[in-house]
């Protein structure tokens, strides 16, 4: 079977069923959870099914999993039951040879579902499952060609369709754009935000851009602006205190950087517009530069104050700082604790 993306499986009109061997892999736990529930045929109110068994991949032994797969169910009316191995990365690594043999000749009494964070495509096991069974990639689809960046247009469409329908509301396109700008690309966080918005409207009523800014942005946006205010004024201590407040409330540094970068990048672009105009022998007003950088009229006054506080030398270096922070989060500082250091370093640079 060809590799499926979870977005396609979840938005398909028809029901989906697992194969004799099914692998769900990807770094988004919410997407893996939704995909697994659909494959098991669980509705919103069901936690599990009597003919399915959950096993912990950190503890599971192959002999026990094999026994479960070969044991019929008293509740399934002759249908195979589902054996789900969660967090199965360690399990797959440990029992790769046994799994390769099983994939070639699976049991008819049970369906094996493996949930993993990663599943390299150059392994024999991957190729064998992809050929005759079911592989579902639980990650935001990427752009065309060899791009590794998430396709934000597909993400927004998925939010307006599948996720909004989960909460019985209608998410407008502009609202989805603002939601991604404020909250990043974590589907768990985006789902929570849409759940909050659904409570604020009548069932089936539209959720607008203004509502996202008011109800989702709320204290999160306020605190993000307070961080930027403190850093641009040279008060790194206050910026770090507000960062600690956000992280203690459950926010992840990975989700915070896109929110903070959204504003800071436009300040850097405004400074670049001024530099370019001057090198071209032209003069450009600060408000025109901010407008070119993408600031909206209601943001203009605050953005102008921020740019003046930052000062031209630091504003000119802003795009480089943000690029450096983004590369570190995707490389050497990809863990939660190291990701926090990246933000702290950025605030200290802004305050210096």
């Amino acid at each position: 079977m060809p590799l499926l993306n979870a977005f396609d499986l979840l938005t398909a009109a028809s029901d989906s069923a697992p194969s004799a061997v099914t692998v769900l892999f990807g770094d988004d736990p919410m997407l893996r959870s939704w995909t697994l529930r659909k494959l098991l045929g669980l509705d919103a109110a069901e936690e599990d099914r009597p003919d399915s068994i959950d096993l912990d991949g950190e503890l599971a032994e192959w002999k026990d999993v094999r026994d479960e797969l070969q044991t019929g169910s008293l509740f399934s009316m002759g249908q195979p039951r589902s054996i789900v191995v969660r967090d199965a990365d360690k399990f797959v690594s440990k029992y790769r040879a046994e799994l390769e043999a099983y994939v070639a000749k699976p049991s008819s009494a049970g369906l094996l579902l493996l949930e993993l964070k990663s599943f390299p495509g150059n392994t024999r096991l991957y190729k064998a499952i992809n050929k005759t069974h079911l592989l579902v990639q639980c990650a935001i689809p990427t752009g065309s060609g060899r791009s590794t960046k998430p396709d934000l247009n597909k993400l927004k469409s998925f939010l307006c369709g599948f996720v909004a329908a989960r909460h019985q509301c209608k998410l407008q396109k502009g609202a989805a754009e603002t939601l991604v700008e404020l909250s990043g690309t974590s589907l768990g966080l985006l789902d929570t935000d849409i759940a909050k918005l659904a409570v604020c409207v009548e069932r089936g009523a539209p959720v607008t851009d203004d509502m996202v800014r008011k109800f989702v942005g709320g204290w999160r946006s306020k605190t993000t602006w307070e961080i930027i205010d403190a850093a641009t004024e040279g008060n790194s201590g206050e910026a770090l205190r507000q960062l600690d407040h956000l992280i203690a409330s459950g926010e992840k540094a990975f989700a915070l950087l896109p929110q903070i970068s959204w504003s800071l990048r436009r300040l850097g672009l405004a400074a670049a517009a001024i530099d370019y105009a001057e090198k071209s022998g032209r003069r450009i007003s600060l408000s025109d530069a901010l407008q070119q950088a993408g600031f909206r009229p209601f943001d203009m006054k605050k953005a102008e104050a921020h740019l003046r506080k930052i000062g031209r030398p630091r504003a000119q270096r802003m795009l480089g700082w943000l690029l450096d922070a983004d590369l570190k989060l995707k490389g050497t500082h990809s863990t939660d604790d190291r990701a926090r250091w990246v933000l702290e370093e950025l605030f200290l640079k802004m305050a210096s």
Side-chain angles (χ1 to χ4, degrees):
M1 295 183 183
L3 174 67
L4 281 178
N5 185 275
F7 276 30
D8 296 325
L9 186 145
L10 291 169
T11 55
S14 58
D15 292 334
S16 300
S19 175
V21 180
T22 300
V23 173
L24 317 176
F25 69 98
D27 57 4
D28 195 303
M30 182 61 75
L31 205 51
R32 295 199 308 267
S33 175
W34 288 338
T35 303
L36 181 60
R37 290 183 65 84
K38 180 160 186 177
L39 289 172
L40 293 177
L42 297 174
D43 60 33
E46 288 182 298
E47 290 297 325
D48 52 31
R49 293 176 53 174
D51 59 344
S52 68
I53 294 178
D54 273 20
L55 299 173
D56 185 348
E58 292 288 320
L59 304 174
E61 299 286 339
W62 170 247
K63 60 182 179 62
D64 298 324
V65 174
R66 182 193 57 207
D67 288 346
E68 293 290 357
L69 288 167
Q70 294 175 343
T71 303
S73 171
L74 298 175
F75 305 98
S76 60
M77 303 295 291
Q79 296 298 314
R81 61 177 183 165
S82 300
I83 312 302
V84 181
V85 183
R86 298 183 183 270
D87 298 320
D89 296 79
K90 180 179 177 181
F91 178 81
V92 169
S93 179
K94 184 176 181 180
Y95 298 110
R96 188 174 299 276
E98 290 86 347
L99 286 166
E100 288 173 357
Y102 181 81
V103 167
K105 192 176 181 180
S107 169
S108 60
L111 304 175
L112 176 61
L113 294 94
L114 301 171
E115 183 189 7
L116 303 95
K117 292 180 181 177
S118 63
F119 195 43
N122 59 353
T123 63
R124 288 196 302 269
L125 183 59
Y126 180 103
K127 294 174 182 177
I129 294 174
N130 193 35
K131 184 177 180 180
T132 56
H133 298 286
L134 179 61
L135 278 176
V136 185
Q137 185 175 28
C138 299
I140 299 170
T142 56
S144 58
R146 297 184 178 181
S147 173
T148 58
K149 295 182 178 180
D151 189 325
L152 296 185
N153 288 327
K154 290 183 179 179
L155 172 60
K156 294 166 190 174
S157 296
F158 184 72
L159 295 178
C160 292
F162 176 81
V163 182
R166 276 174 40 82
H167 303 289
Q168 299 180 324
C169 67
K170 294 180 180 179
L171 186 68
Q172 294 183 345
K173 182 179 179 181
E177 291 176 353
T178 302
L179 199 54
V180 173
E181 289 174 354
L182 291 173
S183 300
T185 58
S186 167
L187 280 165
L189 182 58
L190 291 166
D191 180 65
T192 300
D193 288 340
I194 293 174
K196 295 176 185 175
L197 290 163
V199 176
C200 302
V201 296
E202 296 292 333
R203 180 176 296 184
V207 173
T208 66
D209 173 75
D210 289 340
M211 292 179 62
V212 172
R213 294 185 181 280
K214 179 179 179 181
F215 294 109
V216 173
W219 74 268
R220 185 189 302 153
S221 295
K222 179 176 181 291
T223 305
T224 302
W225 275 111
E226 287 173 349
I227 289 175
I228 297 172
D229 284 338
T232 54
E233 291 171 1
N235 190 350
S236 58
E238 178 62 17
L240 296 176
R241 188 185 72 81
Q242 294 291 354
L243 174 63
D244 185 67
H245 175 59
L246 281 172
I247 291 177
S249 69
E251 296 286 343
K252 298 288 187 182
F254 298 99
L256 289 174
L257 182 63
Q259 300 171 47
I260 294 169
S261 296
W262 178 55
S263 295
L264 296 182
R265 185 178 296 110
R266 291 181 297 166
L267 293 176
L269 289 172
I274 294 171
D275 287 345
Y276 179 78
E278 290 182 352
K279 290 177 181 178
S280 303
R282 297 182 292 107
R283 292 182 61 84
I284 183 173
S285 68
L286 186 55
S287 59
D288 286 342
L290 291 168
Q291 186 175 7
Q292 287 184 24
F295 283 99
R296 302 180 187 183
F298 55 81
D299 287 332
M300 200 69 72
K301 185 176 179 181
K302 181 174 285 188
E304 186 171 334
H306 279 147
L307 196 56
R308 292 186 186 279
K309 289 174 183 177
I310 290 174
R312 188 164 182 172
R314 284 184 293 170
Q316 290 171 325
R317 300 175 66 186
M318 187 65 69
L319 296 178
W321 288 343
L322 293 174
L323 176 60
D324 179 62
D326 183 63
L327 291 174
K328 284 181 177 178
L329 284 184
K330 294 175 180 176
T332 57
H333 292 65
S334 58
T335 59
D336 285 342
D337 55 343
R338 286 179 173 268
R340 176 173 180 160
W341 297 349
V342 172
L343 291 178
E344 292 174 346
E345 181 185 37
L346 176 62
F347 300 149
L348 290 172
K349 287 177 179 177
M350 291 176 60
S352 61

